[in-house]
Amino acid sequence: MAIGRGGTAPRRRSGAGSGMWRGVARRVLRNGGAGSHRAASGAAAAQLRRRLESELEDIRGAGTWKSERVIASRQGPHVQLAGGGGGILNFCANNYLGLSSHPEVIRAAVEALEKFGAGLSSVRFICGTQSIHKDLEEKITRFHRREDAILYASCFDANAGIFETLLTAEDAVLSDELNHASIVDGIRLCKANKYRYKHVDMQDLEAKLQDAQKYRLRLVATDGAFSMDGDIAPLREMCQLAQKYDALVFIDDCHGTGFLGPNGRGTDELLGVMDKVTIVNSTLGKALGGAAGGYTTGPKPLIDLLRQRSRPYLFSNSLPPPVVACASKALDLLMESNAIAQSMTAKTQRFRSKMTAAGFTISGKDHPICPVMLGDARLAAVMAEDMLKRGIYVIGFSYPVVPKGKARIRVQISAVHSNEDIDRCVEAFTEVGRKHGALP
Ligand code: PLP
């Protein structure tokens, strides 16, 4: 036996092996066999598929399905849609200054691609920081007249990273109820005590600031300009309250940076409180060239801490060089002259006043986001479809993007729209509005 065992070691190993596999086979059989195991996961997948399909059907049924139109040209006031629709007038990009396709912005990106490559294959602190990243952070700092700035892959990331880094369970954050989803999500990630004040309601904010006196630090967080309503946060009053109750003010100025205020610095410049708003988060993906990227600018120790602790910064790739170059060139253009920042105001006024005269209700005031308020989700969707048939690209927004019963078509004016473009848009709205009963 001993010899047999020893002498037949290879066979025995193979025997042990097959025994092992037999054991596995027995276990599988006890559990219903390999086939039924696959069937079990197949059943789970089928159940998931049914649930997802039913959820999708609900969205379709509610008339709130968001489809994506495919553009086959550069971003601009006139675009070509895939499938042949050329010469479409585009009124739904955040391309406020028309810099997305500015020749100097494009050239800067091409040059950066050639000199610095397509990307860094790294996060910033490992080997993902190039001279152009530092240059852009320095320009952002100067543009906003703050102490320092830190880049992120997006403003969504900047908002995801700041609250958790800055606030603990000893602190409080007070957030406007209509703040952007990325602020809401960023706040969810932190342990601070959370207050939601009524939209731009300074009385409610004051009551909540009083309650929050028991905490170590109070941070008031608001969009500078609200992207769904085109209204602007009352930053002067907010900063006064912040002073009274020893709080800090944070703004997300994605819809203000580059064009609001005499030099396009944003809502804080527009309202004369650049020295009172402590932290600004914003995007490079809208007025500042429209490529991608976001940032935080504010006190240097905060920026230093974000570099050490902010998770979307630490654990996500560096901004690609062409993207950095687009924003950098956009900032150069804006810092050379305030003419670009000012170029949109007259066009915004033209659209708002002509639409109001036609009988539409336009939400907000003086902002290039001009929401045409319609109420009904289906009406917003069919009117947007009909506008496209007339060569005007606008988008209907409905629940859950905006509150139920407050559906709208959001029109966004760009500095590169001509007066004729704007007049064509108003005419098409008037026709379509009459056809669908939105106008008498
Ligand atoms: N904050 C606001 C107010 C926005 O409108 C957006 C984008 O839609 C973001 C943040 C996110 O910006 P980004 O596209 O850079 O992630």
Side-chain angles (χ1 to χ4, degrees):
M1 281 288 277
I3 291 171
R5 272 183 212 138
T8 56
R11 254 184 30 219
R12 206 180 151 266
R13 269 204 297 278
S14 112
S18 39
M20 184 181 78
W21 288 115
R22 271 200 300 278
V24 169
R26 266 198 301 275
R27 277 198 299 281
V28 168
L29 281 172
R30 258 204 314 276
N31 292 333
S36 65
H37 183 71
R38 266 200 303 277
S41 71
Q47 189 194 41
L48 175 68
R49 183 176 288 272
R50 277 196 301 279
R51 210 193 75 205
L52 298 176
E53 277 166 358
S54 133
E55 235 174 272
L56 293 170
E57 209 36 62
D58 288 350
I59 298 173
R60 279 193 200 95
T64 56
W65 185 264
K66 289 172 277 304
S67 46
E68 297 177 5
R69 293 213 174 88
V70 181
I71 296 176
S73 61
R74 287 178 179 177
Q75 185 61 280
H78 302 161
V79 292
Q80 176 157 8
L81 296 185
I88 302 290
L89 260 175
N90 180 10
F91 279 94
C92 49
N94 301 301
N95 185 20
Y96 295 114
L97 297 172
L99 296 181
S100 301
S101 300
H102 191 288
E104 286 190 49
V105 171
I106 293 171
R107 195 172 326 116
V110 171
E111 282 169 12
L113 181 63
E114 281 175 356
K115 183 164 179 196
F116 292 98
L120 273 302
S121 310
S122 173
V123 298
R124 286 285 298 272
F125 80 94
I126 297 181
C127 56
T129 301
Q130 290 170 318
S131 51
I132 48 173
H133 295 90
K134 298 308 285 180
D135 289 348
L136 178 55
E137 286 170 341
E138 185 277 320
K139 275 184 206 174
I140 291 168
T141 306
R142 231 171 346 112
F143 183 77
H144 285 282
R145 301 185 205 134
R146 296 316 202 269
E147 290 174 22
D148 202 356
I150 175 173
L151 288 172
Y152 284 86
S154 67
C155 184
F156 205 108
D157 277 357
N159 287 342
I162 188 149
F163 300 101
E164 192 190 19
T165 306
L166 183 61
L167 306 172
T168 71
E170 288 180 75
D171 305 314
V173 57
L174 303 96
S175 172
D176 188 293
E177 66 181 348
L178 294 191
N179 274 344
H180 189 260
S182 54
I183 301 180
V184 173
D185 284 8
I187 288 175
R188 269 191 201 143
L189 291 171
C190 81
K191 294 199 170 64
N193 299 280
K194 295 159 188 131
Y195 294 85
R196 226 161 71 110
Y197 61 89
K198 291 191 195 116
H199 180 51
V200 300
D201 183 333
M202 293 300 98
Q203 265 186 340
D204 195 32
L205 174 60
E206 180 159 19
K208 297 205 154 105
L209 277 167
Q210 281 165 355
D211 191 73
Q213 288 305 293
K214 52 194 178 232
Y215 299 115
R216 178 183 65 173
L217 185 151
R218 288 148 294 285
L219 181 71
V220 181
T222 181
D223 280 22
F226 290 84
S227 60
M228 286 300 139
D229 295 270
D231 57 338
I232 291 171
L235 292 183
R236 268 192 223 115
E237 296 77 355
M238 194 177 284
C239 289
Q240 279 163 6
L241 285 178
Q243 198 166 6
K244 185 168 171 191
Y245 292 99
D246 193 20
L248 301 172
V249 175
F250 158 97
I251 60 170
D252 168 334
D253 216 15
C254 283
H255 296 278
T257 301
F259 56 95
L260 289 185
N263 301 293
R265 288 342 188 227
T267 37
D268 55 345
E269 188 193 33
L270 179 75
L271 298 174
V273 289
M274 283 186 89
D275 56 340
K276 298 195 172 61
V277 170
T278 307
I279 305 162
V280 179
N281 275 11
S282 195
T283 185
L284 305 173
K286 302 193 194 299
L288 299 185
Y295 56 86
T296 297
T297 184
K300 183 159 181 2
L302 168 66
I303 304 301
D304 287 345
L305 188 66
L306 289 169
R307 285 193 207 283
Q308 301 305 313
R309 294 257 174 84
S310 176
R311 293 167 68 83
Y313 178 81
L314 286 168
F315 301 114
S316 188
N317 222 22
S318 277
L319 271 186
V323 168
V324 173
C326 286
S328 200
K329 179 51 74 178
L331 284 171
D332 288 345
L333 293 171
L334 283 170
M335 287 196 274
E336 270 163 27
S337 148
N338 70 352
I340 304 182
Q342 293 308 314
S343 60
M344 214 183 36
T345 312
K347 286 167 190 163
T348 298
Q349 276 163 4
R350 186 180 185 96
F351 180 80
R352 282 180 170 271
S353 61
K354 287 199 164 201
M355 285 290 282
T356 308
F360 286 105
T361 302
I362 311 296
S363 169
K365 192 170 161 279
D366 298 335
H367 195 281
I369 292 174
C370 305
V372 182
M373 303 305 288
L374 297 165
D376 182 65
R378 241 175 242 285
L379 177 64
V382 293
M383 276 185 64
E385 281 297 326
D386 256 11
M387 289 291 285
L388 190 62
K389 288 183 192 143
R390 286 163 172 77
I392 314 276
Y393 185 10
V394 286
I395 291 282
F397 286 96
S398 50
Y399 181 80
V401 181
V402 295
K404 273 192 179 142
K406 295 210 169 159
R408 65 203 65 184
I409 292 179
R410 187 175 72 172
V411 174
Q412 285 169 286
I413 306 297
S414 167
V416 284
H417 283 128
S418 66
N419 285 342
E420 294 70 45
D421 293 340
I422 287 168
D423 294 351
R424 246 188 79 195
C425 183
V426 175
E427 277 158 30
F429 258 113
T430 310
E431 274 174 42
V432 169
R434 284 203 187 112
K435 177 178 162 191
H436 293 286
L439 286 183

